Amino acid sequence: MIDPAAPSRGDTLWIGDDPRFTELRASYRRFVFPVTAAFLLWFLTYVLCSAYARGFMATKVVGNVNVALVFGLLQFVSTFGIALAYGRFAARRLDPLAAALRSVAASRPAAVAPSAPATAGREATEDQA
């Protein structure tokens, strides 16, 4: 944890210096990267089967419903499943870490940049000239 009295980069709090931030990023990556890779593999399988395994994809499952239609609908199901799983994961693992980081950031005032002169960025008018 960052010691509020410890020196930091200037007068600002660098949240990236906090080990909880590193843990937050690592937890996020441990979930997102494998799930993304699995979904892309699943989607690529669907596309390749549609292009090169037409006989398999045309196989009737029930009535006029074929394997291609089932795979296509399962793309939507898997997308919503991943979104649901991520929501639960974030609520359980990521949100508590983010809340702790917000409380650390709120407890230490951030540096305020010096304000620009009042006329900065304004065009000179004839009255001011």
Side-chain angles (χ1 to χ4, degrees), residues 9-53:
R9 299 175 194 163
D11 291 332
T12 60
L13 169 67
W14 289 90
I15 210 71
D17 293 338
D18 194 316
R20 289 173 292 191
F21 180 73
T22 305
E23 183 182 347
L24 175 68
R25 287 177 51 110
S27 295
Y28 172 78
R29 288 178 177 163
R30 276 192 302 271
F31 180 87
V32 170
F33 288 167
V35 170
T36 300
F39 181 79
L40 289 175
L41 181 64
W42 160 236
F43 180 72
L44 184 62
T45 301
Y46 171 64
V47 170
L48 290 175
C49 285
S50 294
Y52 298 108

Side-chain angles (χ1 to χ4, degrees), residues 57-95:
M57 296 297 271
T59 303
K60 301 277 186 189
V61 177
V62 175
N64 287 330
V65 177
N66 60 17
V67 172
L69 182 61
V70 171
F71 274 23
L73 292 174
L74 285 175
Q75 292 291 318
F76 289 103
V77 171
S78 62
T79 300
F80 289 115
I82 289 169
L84 181 65
Y86 177 76
R88 289 181 179 176
F89 172 80
R92 188 177 69 249
R93 297 272 173 92
L94 302 180
D95 291 349

